[in-house]
Amino acid sequence: MSGGAGAERANVAAAGGEALPRLSRATLTGEAVARYDRMKAYPVKVLQIGEGNFLRGFADWMIDRCNRQGLFEGGVAVCQPRPSGAAKLAELREQDGLYYQWIRGLQDGRPVDELDLVSAFALTVDPYAEWERFLALGEEPALEVVISNTTEAGLVYQASEWQPEQPILSYPGKLTALLHRRFETFGGEPAKGLLLLPCELVEHNGDKLRDIVLRHAEDWGLSVAFKAWIREHNRFLNNLVDRIVTGYPAEEAERVFAAQGAEDRLLNAAEPYHLWAIEGEATLDARLPLARAGLNALWTDDLRPYQLRKVRILNGAHTLMASVGLLNGLETVREAVSHPMYGELIRDAIMNEIVPSVPLPEADMRRYADEVLERFANPHVRHKLADIALNSLSKFKVRLLPTLEAYAARTGELPPRIVEAFASLLRLYRARETGDGGFAGSRLDGSPVALRDDAAALTELAALWARLELGEMTLEDLVADILGRIDWWGRNLGEIEGLRAALAGALTKMEASAR
């Protein structure tokens, strides 16, 4: 880990029993102060919807790298997509938008251990408490780019009324309102159109976001000229992001604080590997100079191969191991892949079910799968399965269901490991309300696990499992009900031959094991 300017001060503080100060501009010294002050003078060029660990460890780290080289000279305005994100924004404000990005692992066979001070944030805006201030970001003349990560569940159409003085809940709705403010402010000037990069793991994410924005514009009766400006002068680009960002390294944080002489509650850990693949012409790097900064950024005319391999192999394996691992008492990715039983299950699912079902050259996919398994085993990355499990229902639909269907079409059989993962998800989602507005599921050992997913779906699952416990339905009835929910899966999964019986059989074994 690179040395910190405040290390000597931290040792004195530790010896004297003094509490370390919170990371802020006041704790910086030397070049870090000058760089921070330069950043604060930059105009806002990026609007970021998403305050979480991933974007901070990926996009913001990249923008900071571009700024350090004098290639971008732009600040980031960050907003949270959901009201619950206000606490993270408050922490960013308390730390003057500063945090350390800790990068550890192997890169090209060499060990990497770097601690980067990221100072890309220019300001924070809570759209729920500061709606007018949020809309005013659309008036920023230098604004170039909008980046988002609201999970797969956030990139959806939600009907809402056009009430200019009231915040809109959905991200696409907020974006439509902001773009309309920008259109009006600059009179539809073509050069004021934006580059929009939704980082949600959804196929054709740029196209989907554009279509939802246009649907809101239609719903709200906005002008034909505005809709034409959206289509013709704003670039909604399909893109793919790839980096494992694990967030706050609780077990090692104090050591970092002591080395840096300040407490950083936003300390963020990630692997060295990163890839940002964007479907657009290479000349767009002039607007967002990721490639020029030496980052692993790729402008391409066809994103599909990169997206397919990543979503099916890396993300599919993540979703599979989250359900299986949490149900069986495991906590991290590395613990899951190194487990004598479940590690073999994960490798078997990747190599024998997922890889052969990806319609790309199998030798290339196997090489990528080997890289993924090496990344999963990184001893410095503590990737919590509970974090991966966020919105698991929609993630299963996007990441594993296509493999299940492709495998069945190719072999005439169901993929046993993915079926086990599906059953594990349903059993983990044996939901009950916790009394504080939340939901808890149940591991096989009976211990609870917090469920973070669509509240309406969890309510319905809780009702189904309650009916099962009352003897009002059988496990096969429960599975049939769930598989038949077209609004969850996009189709009636009960039509997949043998799936209902296979899931019911797997759940029966799990229940017997739990007892």
Side-chain angles (χ1 to χ4, degrees):
M1 181 173 66
S2 58
E8 183 177 346
R9 182 173 68 248
N11 292 336
V12 172
E18 300 174 19
L20 290 171
R22 188 75 176 269
L23 176 65
S24 68
R25 184 196 181 281
T27 66
L28 303 180
T29 60
E31 170 57 23
V33 176
R35 181 156 60 87
Y36 177 83
D37 289 344
R38 283 197 304 272
M39 182 279 297
K40 277 296 184 182
Y42 292 156
V44 171
K45 287 189 176 182
V46 178
L47 168 60
Q48 178 172 304
I49 309 297
E51 80 296 348
N53 296 330
F54 178 77
L55 284 184
R56 290 195 298 111
F58 185 79
D60 300 315
W61 173 81
M62 289 190 180
I63 291 166
D64 190 73
R65 287 290 179 99
C66 294
N67 280 338
R68 288 190 197 191
Q69 298 176 49
L71 297 173
F72 188 59
E73 297 185 343
V76 178
V78 60
C79 308
Q80 84 274 28
R82 288 170 288 275
S84 59
K88 185 64 69 66
L89 256 63
E91 289 191 327
L92 279 167
R93 284 192 293 270
E94 188 173 348
Q95 294 191 180
D96 294 330
L98 293 164
Y99 63 94
Y100 282 101
Q101 183 60 47
W102 197 5
I103 300 169
R104 292 190 295 171
L106 291 176
Q107 190 169 39
D108 299 325
R110 297 188 301 271
V112 175
D113 190 345
E114 298 174 353
L115 193 68
D116 287 343
L117 179 67
V118 177
S119 55
F121 289 124
L123 53 93
T124 63
V125 179
D126 181 343
Y128 302 96
E130 304 171 292
W131 179 240
E132 174 56 33
R133 188 168 176 238
F134 170 77
L135 292 179
L137 292 171
E139 302 173 8
E140 291 285 341
L143 190 64
E144 283 273 357
V145 182
V146 177
I147 298 169
S148 67
N149 185 26
T150 61
T151 79
E152 291 93 325
L155 204 62
V156 296
Y157 171 78
Q158 295 179 17
S160 58
E161 294 184 10
W162 172 248
Q163 296 177 309
E165 297 181 359
Q166 296 294 323
I168 298 167
L169 184 62
S170 77
Y171 161 52
K174 291 186 191 68
L175 178 63
T176 306
L178 181 136
L179 288 170
H180 189 258
R181 173 67 66 89
R182 188 168 185 81
F183 171 79
E184 290 192 319
T185 299
F186 297 105
E189 184 180 335
K192 294 302 180 183
L194 302 176
L195 196 64
L196 298 109
L197 298 169
C199 298
E200 292 81 2
L201 292 174
V202 175
E203 287 189 26
H204 308 293
N205 43 22
D207 296 339
K208 184 169 186 177
L209 179 59
R210 179 201 59 222
D211 292 346
I212 298 172
V213 166
L214 288 170
R215 185 173 178 184
H216 280 303
E218 187 70 26
D219 288 348
W220 299 340
L222 302 181
S223 70
V224 171
F226 170 66
K227 288 181 281 190
W229 180 76
I230 290 293
R231 284 191 296 266
E232 297 168 14
H233 303 300
N234 291 267
R235 300 293 304 276
F236 292 79
L237 299 182
N238 301 321
N239 70 113
L240 172 74
V241 295
D242 191 356
R243 183 177 228 179
I244 296 172
V245 179
T246 57
Y248 187 75
E251 295 179 357
E252 300 171 286
E254 294 297 330
R255 178 164 65 89
V256 178
F257 299 165
Q260 300 305 315
E263 180 186 8
D264 176 13
R265 295 179 192 169
L266 297 170
L267 177 65
N268 202 22
E271 65 173 344
Y273 181 89
H274 63 280
L275 169 66
W276 200 341
I278 306 171
E279 201 168 65
E281 58 273 23
T283 54
L284 290 172
D285 201 68
R287 297 179 69 177
L288 186 62
L290 304 172
R292 269 194 297 156
L295 298 161
N296 190 22
L298 176 69
W299 301 90
T300 177
D301 60 0
D302 188 1
L303 188 66
R304 289 172 297 177
Y306 304 97
Q307 187 164 37
L308 196 60
R309 74 176 191 180
K310 196 254 181 176
V311 171
R312 294 279 190 94
I313 297 174
L314 188 147
N315 298 119
H318 266 163
T319 296
L320 180 144
M321 73 173 74
S323 297
V324 172
L326 285 174
L327 185 66
N328 291 283
L330 306 181
E331 301 295 339
T332 69
V333 167
R334 186 164 183 262
E335 187 181 0
V337 297
S338 61
H339 192 280
M341 179 188 301
Y342 302 115
E344 183 57 36
L345 181 152
I346 293 163
R347 283 186 290 274
D348 185 27
I350 292 172
M351 292 301 187
N352 297 320
E353 296 180 7
I354 298 176
V355 165
S357 301
V358 179
L360 294 169
E362 186 166 338
D364 293 343
M365 294 307 98
R366 289 193 175 277
R367 278 193 295 272
Y368 179 74
D370 286 336
E371 291 176 0
V372 165
L373 286 166
E374 183 178 55
R375 292 164 64 190
F376 286 167
N378 185 342
H380 301 299
V381 172
R382 182 174 172 79
H383 201 176
K384 295 179 181 178
L385 297 177
D387 291 338
I388 296 170
L390 173 69
N391 293 323
S392 283
L393 289 173
S394 59
K395 285 178 177 175
F396 189 94
K397 174 186 173 182
V398 171
R399 301 175 176 187
L400 286 172
L401 183 55
T403 295
L404 186 151
E405 293 178 303
Y407 184 99
R410 182 173 60 86
T411 68
E413 300 177 353
L414 294 171
R417 299 307 194 184
I418 293 176
V419 168
E420 184 170 350
F422 199 174
S424 297
L425 172 61
L426 300 184
R427 178 57 176 77
L428 187 69
Y429 271 44
R430 187 169 189 152
R432 59 176 178 80
E433 296 189 40
T434 56
D436 57 0
F439 290 85
S442 175
R443 293 182 170 93
L444 288 181
D445 65 6
S447 61
V449 57
L451 300 179
R452 296 178 294 163
D453 214 312
D454 179 74
L458 292 175
T459 299
E460 293 178 29
L461 283 167
L464 286 174
W465 281 104
R467 289 182 60 197
L468 178 78
E469 291 168 3
L470 291 171
E472 296 177 1
M473 65 191 319
T474 65
L475 263 177
E476 191 155 344
D477 293 333
L478 180 144
V479 169
D481 187 296
I482 292 171
L483 293 181
R485 292 176 180 260
I486 298 173
D487 55 330
W488 289 7
W489 312 115
R491 59 165 291 193
N492 182 356
L493 298 187
E495 296 173 352
I496 299 177
E497 186 176 354
L499 183 58
R500 181 175 66 179
L503 289 173
L507 283 167
T508 299
K509 291 179 181 177
M510 290 175 187
E511 289 300 296
S513 172
R515 287 194 294 271

